[in-house]
Amino acid sequence: MTNQEETEVGKTIYLVLDMQNDLVHAEGPSGKGPLGAQVRERETLARTVRVLQKARAAGALVGFVRVGFSSHYQECPRHSPIFSGAPAASLFKLGEWGTEIHPDLEVRKEDLQIVKHRVSPFYSTTLEAQLRAQGVTRIVCSGVSTQAVVQATVRDAHDRDYEVVVLEDCCAAHSAQEHANSIESIRRFCRVETADSVSFD
């Protein structure tokens, strides 16, 4: 495919969502709880590694999304049921181990990097500007948790006219039922595939 043809048909990006130490590492706060147990049971990390390799081999773009706040948590919403406890627990602090992408997942300097302060990676970030600049029209995504960032990404990307693919077996929630409910609720807004079925060609 020529560069002109690639521009005409658009590009694909694999967006890895919130796969950071605070949430998915076995020694992280959430990694020691129900979410971490689901990540391990579902082999979410190993499958994500395989998809990253597949995406890079096909020449697709790769991006990593993480939630993070500055040291004094100026961006942290005080009344959020999800984020309000982060300052007291020292969670999601930028520049520290907890907001680093899990070491099993290779991050390259050319990968897109998005730091978000809310659930959706599109809210008050440069994500859409970077995607438009790169000519992206198709987003393949996965991560944790299914009921939060995955759902938010799918719905926001859909309304911005991207083609969206969710890799069901590369996602996890705080319970198997919560994951299943979340996937079912977003099927109308995306295509649901797996690590084995997805193609980046």
Side-chain angles (χ1 to χ4, degrees):
M1 181 179 292
T2 67
N3 290 338
Q4 182 178 357
E5 288 172 332
E6 187 177 55
T7 299
E8 290 173 353
V9 301
K11 293 181 182 177
T12 295
I13 189 169
Y14 178 36
L15 275 184
V16 181
L17 305 169
D18 291 6
M19 295 290 284
Q20 59 200 73
N21 289 329
D22 270 346
L23 294 172
V24 298
H25 197 287
E27 298 303 315
S30 290
K32 297 176 181 178
L35 179 60
Q38 285 293 305
V39 167
R40 291 186 291 276
E41 182 178 324
R42 294 176 55 77
E43 300 181 344
T44 305
L45 280 162
R47 289 193 174 104
T48 304
V49 168
R50 282 172 28 217
V51 177
L52 278 170
Q53 293 169 343
K54 184 187 290 191
R56 295 192 195 281
L61 296 171
V62 170
F64 290 91
V65 173
R66 71 192 81 198
V67 58
F69 302 105
S70 52
S71 59
H72 296 290
Y73 291 92
Q74 293 95 329
E75 314 90 348
C76 187
R78 292 182 299 157
H79 303 295
S80 166
I82 298 175
F83 296 123
S84 59
S90 294
L91 289 174
F92 309 135
K93 189 179 292 186
L94 292 171
E96 297 195 357
W97 176 84
T99 53
E100 293 175 3
I101 299 299
H102 192 283
D104 286 358
L105 308 178
E106 180 191 9
V107 180
R108 298 182 181 178
K109 62 181 180 181
E110 66 268 23
D111 295 337
L112 274 67
Q113 298 283 339
I114 299 297
V115 174
K116 64 189 179 80
H117 309 306
R118 298 295 186 272
V119 176
S120 173
F122 286 96
Y123 180 83
S124 294
T125 73
T126 63
L127 176 57
E128 187 161 21
Q130 292 192 60
L131 296 180
R132 299 298 183 194
Q134 296 291 331
V136 170
T137 58
R138 178 175 179 251
I139 297 173
V140 177
C141 64
S142 66
V144 300
S145 61
T146 321
Q147 78 273 26
V149 68
V150 175
Q151 281 215 43
T153 300
V154 168
R155 295 175 190 277
D156 277 5
H158 169 273
D159 285 355
R160 287 167 168 80
D161 300 328
Y162 292 97
E163 177 188 355
V164 190
V165 177
V166 170
L167 304 183
E168 183 275 333
D169 60 349
C170 295
C171 299
H174 291 77
S175 71
Q177 187 62 56
E178 196 165 39
H179 167 78
N181 291 345
S182 298
I183 291 295
E184 192 60 33
S185 74
I186 56 176
R187 284 185 181 275
R188 296 183 65 184
F189 305 96
C190 66
R191 189 164 74 251
V192 177
E193 295 200 29
T194 67
D196 289 334
S197 71
V198 68
S199 172
F200 291 93
D201 295 329

